């Protein structure tokens, strides 16, 4: 049976309304910038969870690997399987916690590498793997140094390592942790987490336990704190050309990978006093030329940007007006000549000297560029 996505006519028609453009050249540039910044000491893990932050996991993973990344990081087992099914054979770390024997089976079958956050979970893995033959599974032990999300308490890390080391079928590949405030210009909490992490790994080493790899840094720590690179850095946001915080911008020149575009579907002139869209939150005070654009909140443009955002048309920045609706929005094109149905509007990206970024949307809507 042909799925909808495989119907050629539909694939073409989707481009009639709204689409994203992914610049794999920009991704390659960002990966190269990051690997240069890392030097020879630390390896780069490309974090491609959540469909590579919406950019398309398979294409991003392939390009990142061919540009200098050596690891991939995902959140879930199905995300890892998707990459394997696409023929990608680089090491893949599952950063989320896995608790079901079914998923353990899939991890072994697809040679994925899980994160273990507790002795109980390590037992589930060891027992489930005991049913199969084969070489020991590389596992990554996560310790909680202050994020209070996944991980075993840092002060008991040596006991955790020792416990896992005694279990059959498991081989400890790394001991890692995650930072809670790496994008904050105030590094107090980060330094406390670093200290806890280093205390834990020193104790583990002193006990003559495994010689695991060490990793702690996300994008912000990779850009801002070279002393936190250790053996490996786990970079998501920066791959996609975005900065975790304004003060980290001077470190590297990154290029945004995603552009969001849509077409004008309808043009009209409205008279003073005319309300626009649901609720009439915008009312014309003078005669205006407005355009309807075929993209809305169902396509991922936050409705909270209504009457706040700008778009680019023929290199000019113009205002969006009225409430953004499910699949359409209106823009003020009074000052833009020669528009037609089918003309392209840029919502995120660059036209001429004007640039619209996910950071701007995030600031306007009170969220972070990761979510955008
Ligand atoms: C998502 C994630 C990252 C990447 O974070 P960015 O800030 O996007 O670089 C790194 N490590 C872990 C554990 C994560 O969950």
């Amino acid at each position: 049976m042909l799925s909808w996505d495989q119907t050629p006519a539909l694939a073409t028609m989707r481009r009639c309304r709204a689409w994203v453009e992914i610049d794999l050249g920009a991704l390659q540039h960002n990966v190269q910038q990051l690997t240069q910044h890392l030097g020879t000491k630390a390896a780069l893990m490309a974090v491609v969870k959540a469909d590579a932050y919406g950019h398309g996991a398979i294409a991003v993973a392939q390009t990142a690997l061919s540009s200098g990344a050596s690891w991939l990081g995902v959140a879930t087992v199905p995300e890892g399987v998707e990459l394997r099914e696409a023929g990608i054979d680089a090491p893949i770390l599952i950063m989320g916690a896995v608790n079901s024997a079914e998923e353990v089976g899939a991890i072994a079958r697809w040679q994925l590498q899980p994160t273990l956050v507790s002795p109980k979970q390590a037992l589930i893995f060891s027992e489930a793997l005991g049913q199969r033959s084969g070489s020991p599974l590389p596992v990554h032990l996560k310790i909680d140094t202050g994020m209070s999300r996944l991980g075993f308490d840092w002060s008991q890390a040596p006991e955790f390592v020792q416990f896992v080391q005694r279990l059959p079928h498991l081989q400890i590949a790394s001991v890692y942790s995650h930072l809670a405030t790496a994008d904050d210009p105030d590094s107090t909490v980060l330094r406390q987490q670093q200290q806890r992490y280093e205390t834990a790994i020193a104790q583990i080493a002193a006990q003559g336990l495994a010689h695991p790899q060490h990793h702690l840094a996300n994008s912000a720590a990779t850009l801002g704190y070279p002393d936190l690179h250790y053996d490996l850095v786990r970079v998501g946001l920066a791959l996609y050309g975005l900065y975790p915080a304004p003060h980290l911008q001077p470190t590297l020149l990154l290029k945004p990978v995603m552009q969001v575009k849509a077409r004008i579907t309808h043009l009209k002139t409205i008279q003073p006093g005319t309300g626009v869209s649901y609720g009439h939150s915008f009312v014309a005070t003078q005669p205006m030329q407005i355009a309807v654009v075929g993209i809305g909140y169902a396509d991922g443009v936050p409705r909270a940007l209504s009457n706040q955002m700008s778009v680019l048309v023929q290199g000019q920045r113009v205002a969006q007006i009225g409430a953004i609706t499910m699949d359409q929005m209106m823009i003020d094109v009074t000052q833009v000549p020669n528009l037609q149905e089918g003309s392209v509007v840029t919502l995120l990206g660059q036209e001429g000297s004007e640039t619209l970024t996910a950071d701007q949307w995030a600031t306007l809507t009170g969220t972070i560029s990761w979510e955008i």
Side-chain angles (χ1 to χ4, degrees):
M1 204 180 83
L2 209 57
S3 86
W4 291 111
D5 275 339
Q6 289 165 323
T7 311
L10 274 180
T12 313
M13 281 192 285
R14 287 215 166 94
R15 285 230 145 192
C16 295
R17 191 176 72 88
W19 64 96
V20 296
E21 289 177 11
I22 301 300
D23 182 352
L24 294 175
L27 176 68
Q28 181 180 30
H29 166 90
N30 297 337
V31 171
Q32 287 167 348
Q33 289 285 301
L34 285 158
T35 47
Q36 264 176 35
H37 174 67
L38 292 172
T40 53
K41 219 184 88 226
L44 175 65
M45 175 186 291
V47 176
V48 297
K49 64 192 179 192
D51 200 25
Y53 295 32
H55 293 68
I58 294 169
V60 166
Q62 286 167 337
T63 302
L65 290 169
S66 66
S67 313
S70 49
W71 278 81
L72 298 171
V74 297
T76 68
V77 177
E79 287 177 348
V81 172
E82 184 194 4
L83 296 172
R84 285 282 182 258
E85 282 182 330
I88 292 169
D89 58 9
I92 299 176
L93 172 65
I94 313 275
M95 299 187 296
V98 169
N99 292 296
S100 75
E102 199 176 26
E103 285 181 298
V104 178
I107 283 174
R109 165 154 156 44
W110 292 99
Q111 302 199 352
L112 305 171
Q113 304 194 20
T115 295
L116 299 184
V117 301
S118 73
K120 184 175 151 210
Q121 195 197 8
L123 266 180
I124 293 173
F125 267 81
S126 185
E127 279 168 16
L129 291 166
Q131 326 280 323
R132 318 169 59 103
S133 55
S135 45
L137 181 73
V139 296
H140 300 257
L141 306 193
K142 182 136 192 209
I143 57 176
D144 183 359
T145 56
M147 173 74 178
S148 301
R149 194 171 64 174
L150 289 181
F152 203 63
D153 191 84
W154 66 277
S155 62
Q156 292 161 46
E159 290 84 348
F160 181 34
V161 170
Q162 207 162 41
F163 181 85
V164 177
Q165 218 189 14
R166 288 185 183 142
L167 292 176
H169 314 299
L170 304 180
Q171 177 241 325
I172 300 169
S174 84
V175 175
Y176 79 101
S177 190
H178 190 49
L179 297 165
T181 66
D183 50 1
D184 191 331
D186 178 347
S187 63
T188 313
V189 173
L190 173 135
R191 291 301 182 197
Q192 183 186 45
Q193 285 198 262
Q194 175 187 15
Q195 201 187 12
R196 290 171 173 178
Y197 181 65
E198 289 186 355
T199 302
I201 61 179
Q203 284 171 349
I204 291 163
Q207 292 188 350
L209 297 176
H211 292 288
Q213 290 212 307
H214 300 134
H215 46 113
L216 184 61
N218 54 6
S219 290
T222 300
L223 296 178
Y225 302 92
D227 61 323
L228 299 189
H229 290 170
Y230 302 104
D231 302 309
L232 181 68
V233 297
R234 306 183 306 269
V235 176
L237 193 76
L239 289 180
Y240 309 108
L242 298 167
Y243 294 91
H247 72 277
L248 295 167
Q249 287 209 359
T251 42
L252 289 182
L253 180 71
L254 302 172
K255 296 183 184 171
V257 172
M258 180 187 284
Q259 297 201 81
V260 177
K261 298 188 177 181
R263 286 186 203 278
I264 291 175
T265 57
H266 189 43
L267 285 156
K268 64 178 63 183
T269 303
I270 59 172
Q271 297 307 320
T274 308
V276 175
S277 193
Y278 294 121
H280 282 184
S281 59
F282 181 91
V283 178
T285 55
Q286 54 197 23
M288 292 175 81
Q289 170 88 344
I290 69 170
V292 181
V293 185
I295 189 168
Y297 59 78
D299 303 294
V301 184
R303 187 175 173 281
L305 287 172
S306 299
N307 294 303
Q308 309 287 320
M309 69 185 292
S310 314
V311 302
L312 305 179
V313 195
Q314 296 186 353
Q316 275 190 58
R317 185 186 284 252
V318 306
Q320 188 279 324
I321 54 172
I324 293 168
T325 72
M326 192 174 275
D327 45 47
Q328 304 173 76
M329 64 173 67
M330 275 61 87
I331 60 175
D332 173 5
V333 291
T334 311
Q335 304 301 327
V336 190
N338 303 325
L339 288 177
Q340 311 168 27
E341 284 81 9
S343 294
V344 174
V345 173
T346 298
L347 289 94
L348 287 179
Q350 204 173 356
E351 278 191 29
S353 61
E354 296 278 0
T355 304
L356 299 173
T357 68
D359 283 316
Q360 293 161 359
W361 284 17
T363 304
L364 288 169
T365 57
T367 184
I368 54 174
S369 56
W370 289 258
E371 186 183 2
I372 300 294

